[in-house]
Amino acid sequence: MDDIDRALVLRLQQDAGQSYAALGAAVGLSAGATHERVRKLRERGVIRRTTVDVDPAAVGSGVLAYVMVDSNAWMGESGEAFAAIPEIQEAHIIAGSASVMVKVRTATTGQLQDVLRRLYAIDGVIGTHATVVLDTFFERPLPL
Amino acid sequence: MDDIDRALVLRLQQDAGQSYAALGAAVGLSAGATHERVRKLRERGVIRRTTVDVDPAAVGSGVLAYVMVDSNAWMGESGEAFAAIPEIQEAHIIAGSASVMVKVRTATTGQLQDVLRRLYAIDGVIGTHATVVLDTFFERPLPL
DNA sequence: TCAGAATGCCGAATGAAATTCGGCCTGATA
DNA sequence: TATCAGGCCGAATTTCATTCGGCATTCTGA
C-alpha cells in the first residue's frame, strides 16, 4: 500500500470504467503493471468490488432517514434480523444511549413507518427514534 | 425504467465489471441491446458513475462516527463548508432537534476530535453530538 | 560484500469485450 | 392502413484486458 496504490484506488473510486492504460498513465505505470497492482488490491480486500452509483430517487427510494434503535438486550448477534429488512441500507452497533443505528431508504414516509414497525418486531428492540433527511448536501467516496 | 432496467441496475450494483454479454444473458437481451440500455441509464442519471467499493480500514479510516450538528442559523447554504472537511463522507440537512447530520471517517479518535473542532469553526454551528460506531453489521446497495 | 531469490515493471502477443451499424420487427400515430 | 419511432439482433471493427518473457532493483542470508 504505497502512494501509487492510493492514487489508483482514488482514481478508481472516481471512475472505475477507465482503461488500465489511462489509469496507468495517470500514475506513471504501464497497463500491464497497473493491471497487476489492481489485481492485488482486490486480492488483499482493499478493493471489495466494482459497482455503480445509483440515484436513489430514480429507483424509488426518495426518502432517507436514520433511525436510532433502543433495546433491552445485547444486539451484537442481531445483524441478520436487520439485514432481513431490505430498506435498511446500513446497520451499525453504536456507543451511546441507543444501541443500533440504521440508515433507511424508502419511496414514501408511509413505507418508512412500515420499516419502523418491522424494527419493533425484532427481538430486544424497545424503541426507535427516526431522523428524516430533508436534503443531502453530498455523499462522496472515502478520503485518501 | 421498466423491469429490465431495474434488473440491469441491480446486477450492475452487485458487479459492474461483468461483460455486457453476461449481463444481457441474465436479463434476456443481446450484448448490443444491453449496452444501449445501460448507456441510456447513465444518460438519464439513473446510474451516476461506476466506482469501486473500498475497505475503509485498509485505507486508514478505521473510525466511523455520525455527528449531529446544532446551529443557531439556517444551514441550507453551508454545504461547501462541510465539504471542505475531507473526513466528512456525507452531510445532510435533517428534521429534528439538530439541523445537520454528518458521517465522518478517520483513522483515530484523535482525528475525530479534530474534525469536531473544525465543525465548530463553521459559521452558525453551536454544538455537536457524536455517535461512534463500534461495529458495522453491513453496508449494502440500494434495494430494488 | 556477494550470490540467489523475489518483486515489480515494461512491451509485445493474444484473446475477449466494447462499441458501432444495418436491417428487421412491433407498437403507436394519424 | 400507411408511416414512423423505438428497441432488438447479429455481425464487423476497434479497443482493451490479460498473459508472458525478459530485465532491473531490492531483499536475504551467508
Side-chain angles (χ1 to χ4, degrees):
Chain A
M1 202 59 201
D2 57 10
D3 287 330
I4 293 182
D5 282 336
R6 264 183 292 277
L8 289 175
V9 171
L10 179 64
R11 286 168 188 281
L12 283 173
Q13 281 190 322
Q14 294 165 347
D15 176 10
Q18 64 192 300
S19 71
Y20 285 112
L23 197 53
V27 301
L29 285 181
S30 70
T34 304
H35 184 270
E36 178 67 7
R37 286 252 191 182
V38 173
R39 190 189 63 72
K40 286 182 180 169
L41 285 168
R42 291 182 193 285
E43 187 178 81
R44 275 183 260 153
V46 176
I47 294 176
R48 290 166 167 164
R49 64 174 167 179
T50 102
T51 183
V52 291
D53 189 13
V54 175
D55 177 8
V59 296
S61 294
V63 175
L64 169 61
Y66 286 93
V67 183
M68 300 289 201
V69 180
D70 292 310
S71 70
N72 60 7
W74 169 238
M75 294 271 93
E77 306 300 326
S78 306
E80 292 188 11
F82 290 98
I85 302 176
E87 292 90 342
I88 298 182
Q89 211 184 358
E90 301 178 16
H92 312 275
I93 301 259
I94 59 178
S97 53
S99 48
V100 174
M101 167 176 245
V102 301
K103 180 179 186 176
V104 177
R105 283 192 191 270
T106 60
T108 66
T109 52
Q111 288 173 21
L112 173 58
Q113 187 179 19
D114 191 57
V115 170
L116 296 181
R117 198 190 331 279
R118 277 176 274 161
L119 282 171
Y120 271 105
I122 295 176
D123 267 1
V125 170
I126 58 173
T128 63
H129 183 72
T131 299
V132 176
V133 170
L134 302 177
D135 187 32
T136 292
F137 281 138
F138 59 83
E139 290 181 289
R140 63 188 180 190
L142 253 42
L144 284 176
Chain B
M1 202 60 202
D2 58 10
D3 287 328
I4 292 183
D5 280 337
R6 264 183 292 278
L8 289 175
V9 170
L10 179 65
R11 285 167 189 282
L12 283 173
Q13 281 190 322
Q14 294 165 347
D15 176 11
Q18 65 193 298
S19 71
Y20 285 112
L23 199 53
V27 301
L29 285 183
S30 72
T34 303
H35 183 269
E36 178 66 8
R37 286 253 191 178
V38 174
R39 190 190 63 71
K40 285 182 180 170
L41 285 168
R42 291 181 192 286
E43 187 179 81
R44 276 183 259 153
V46 177
I47 293 177
R48 291 168 167 161
R49 64 175 167 178
T50 104
T51 182
V52 291
D53 188 14
V54 175
D55 177 10
V59 296
S61 294
V63 175
L64 170 60
Y66 286 93
V67 182
M68 300 289 201
V69 180
D70 292 310
S71 69
N72 60 8
W74 169 236
M75 294 272 91
E77 306 299 326
S78 305
E80 293 187 10
F82 291 97
I85 302 177
E87 291 91 342
I88 297 181
Q89 211 185 353
E90 301 178 15
H92 312 276
I93 301 259
I94 58 178
S97 53
S99 47
V100 173
M101 167 176 246
V102 300
K103 180 179 186 176
V104 177
R105 283 192 191 270
T106 60
T108 65
T109 51
Q111 288 174 22
L112 172 58
Q113 187 179 16
D114 190 57
V115 169
L116 295 181
R117 198 187 334 276
R118 277 177 273 161
L119 281 171
Y120 271 104
I122 295 175
D123 266 2
V125 171
I126 59 173
T128 64
H129 182 72
T131 298
V132 176
V133 170
L134 302 176
D135 188 32
T136 293
F137 280 138
F138 59 82
E139 289 182 287
R140 63 188 181 190
L142 252 43
L144 284 175

